[in-house]
Amino acid sequence: MEYKIRDIISYLNQIAPPAYQESYDNATLIVGNPEMEVKGVLCSLDCTEEVVEEAIQLGANLIVAHHPIVFRGLKSLTGKNYVERTVIKAIKHDIAIFSIHTNLDHVAHGVNKRICDRLGLENTQILQPKKGLLNKLTFFVPEENKQDVLDAVYAAGAGQIGEYKDCSFQIKGMGTFTPSESANPHLGQRGVPSYESEVRAEVILPKHLSGAILQAMRKAHPYEEVAYYLQELENENQEVGAGMIGDLPDSLDELGFLDYLKEEMNLKIVKHTSLRGKKVKKVAVCGGAGIFLLNDAKRQGADAFITADVKYHEFFDAEGRLILCDIGHYESEIFTKELLADLLSQNFPNIALYLTKVVTNPTSYR
């Protein structure tokens, strides 16, 4: 079966909706024609000139990278830096570049879950759930049509709460209306007050799917004019947010934990705060620069917090409450390329998938 680049993008956008990316981010198709047929996909943490050359040699015409090669706007393409040279090389060779960045960080099955899985953490949950991502839809429908409308909004993405689907709240009541002489009522008569048995139904939905869900509701609803209202919620979305926290299967002493961390994450060194002489059981993680989650990790009782890009004075902020571990940005997220390949292989088994062999880590150790 042949697939176009837009098919890959559509699937990945379902896995990690672009609406979940940070405002500063650029998770999108950066280079390439979405209508191009996919010849092969190269999965990478970063996209550099060397990665583009690797794609050319492999015959892959789509690079799916975690980090966007274009993070801020380009005002020229003259090849004066590695960003411009990478983009020029990709364009010249018809290589598309797609980035899936903080949106993949923020989903419960994303970057941080892959770190948790490598460490064998159990009972994992989002460390800092995001607010403002949920809406509540309330609509009124004749009782005999209730299930058809509910099934339609469920299929469009409403009614999912954690591991529970098809969730709603329903109340029976009496709806009243008087159709005008120009109306085409499903129930009642023009110019005559109508009293109908109706159900008030409420469902929770992702804010970014509101348009599609409203369209599905209207299509399935028997009324010419549907009575409904949509509310923004401040509820935390427990499935979307920054970082994760979970439990090791067995407690480890601190030196044993650091050795375990180095082995499972394939590290040469771990930069960390002073040891506390306590066991490590609960572990918080955040791939990339995650020091903004330190207070969340302390508040939730983490014995260790694994992240990257920690500044000198930020280590003091651990205040002996936990072991703060900086394992390096590249090292914390390198397994994202495997995550991307695994996700794509589940839905596109006939596409040639490759993991980059280029080491894009800009830092070295001796």
Side-chain angles (χ1 to χ4, degrees), residues 155-259:
Q160 182 83 31
I161 303 177
E163 295 300 319
Y164 297 84
K165 65 177 185 177
D166 302 347
C167 301
S168 71
F169 180 75
Q170 304 170 29
I171 305 174
K172 292 182 180 180
M174 183 68 67
T176 66
F177 52 87
T178 302
S180 73
E181 293 300 325
S182 301
N184 184 26
H186 173 73
L187 296 172
Q189 300 178 22
R190 294 175 182 147
V192 179
S194 185
Y195 299 84
E196 304 295 343
S197 177
E198 294 182 338
V199 172
R200 169 185 169 136
E202 300 178 356
V203 292
I204 302 297
L205 57 129
K207 187 176 180 179
H208 70 278
L209 294 179
S210 294
I213 290 169
L214 287 175
Q215 184 178 12
M217 177 197 68
R218 291 188 183 101
K219 186 175 180 180
H221 204 288
Y223 283 178
E224 184 178 24
E225 298 289 347
V226 182
Y228 75 92
Y229 52 89
L230 192 65
Q231 297 170 284
E232 291 189 9
L233 301 179
E234 284 300 308
N235 300 48
E236 293 180 341
N237 188 334
Q238 299 297 327
E239 299 299 309
V240 181
M244 294 200 86
I245 189 167
D247 300 313
L248 290 166
D250 299 296
S251 298
L252 297 173
D253 63 67
E254 292 167 322
L255 288 177
F257 168 72
L258 293 174
D259 288 339

Side-chain angles (χ1 to χ4, degrees), residues 62-242:
L62 173 60
I63 297 170
V64 176
H66 184 47
H67 295 143
I69 181 60
V70 178
F71 209 72
R72 300 173 182 86
L74 293 177
K75 294 188 176 181
S76 65
L77 280 174
T78 61
K80 64 179 176 291
N81 56 45
Y82 84 96
V83 174
E84 293 185 11
R85 290 192 296 271
T86 299
V87 172
I88 290 170
K89 190 179 187 72
I91 292 173
K92 287 174 66 175
H93 292 274
D94 281 334
I95 306 292
I97 303 173
F98 178 73
S99 169
I100 179 169
H101 190 209
T102 51
N103 47 330
L104 189 61
D105 289 331
H106 288 154
V107 291
H109 45 269
V111 174
N112 294 306
K113 183 61 164 61
R114 179 53 58 112
I115 299 173
C116 290
D117 290 344
R118 289 196 65 86
L119 295 176
L121 300 186
E122 302 170 341
N123 309 314
T124 56
Q125 58 185 2
I126 297 291
L127 183 58
Q128 187 189 79
K130 281 189 169 293
K131 296 181 179 180
L133 297 178
L134 296 172
N135 281 349
K136 183 178 77 169
L137 171 63
T138 302
F139 61 88
F140 303 84
V141 60
E143 189 169 357
E144 61 269 22
N145 303 105
K146 173 197 68 177
Q147 198 57 50
D148 290 339
V149 180
L150 282 172
D151 288 344
V153 298
Y154 293 154
Q160 182 83 31
I161 303 177
E163 295 300 319
Y164 297 84
K165 65 177 185 177
D166 302 347
C167 301
S168 71
F169 180 75
Q170 304 170 29
I171 305 174
K172 292 182 180 180
M174 183 68 67
T176 66
F177 52 87
T178 302
S180 73
E181 293 300 325
S182 301
N184 184 26
H186 173 73
L187 296 172
Q189 300 178 22
R190 294 175 182 147
V192 179
S194 185
Y195 299 84
E196 304 295 343
S197 177
E198 294 182 338
V199 172
R200 169 185 169 136
E202 300 178 356
V203 292
I204 302 297
L205 57 129
K207 187 176 180 179
H208 70 278
L209 294 179
S210 294
I213 290 169
L214 287 175
Q215 184 178 12
M217 177 197 68
R218 291 188 183 101
K219 186 175 180 180
H221 204 288
Y223 283 178
E224 184 178 24
E225 298 289 347
V226 182
Y228 75 92
Y229 52 89
L230 192 65
Q231 297 170 284
E232 291 189 9
L233 301 179
E234 284 300 308
N235 300 48
E236 293 180 341
N237 188 334
Q238 299 297 327
E239 299 299 309
V240 181

Side-chain angles (χ1 to χ4, degrees), residues 117 157 283 309 316 341 350 361:
D117 290 344
V283 179
D309 301 344
F316 287 103
N350 299 323
N361 193 351

Side-chain angles (χ1 to χ4, degrees), residues 42 67 118 145 154 158 166 201 237 274 281 319 334 346 358:
L42 178 61
H67 295 143
R118 289 196 65 86
N145 303 105
Y154 293 154
D166 302 347
N237 188 334
S274 299
K281 175 69 172 179
E319 298 182 310
I334 183 56
Q346 294 170 18
V358 177

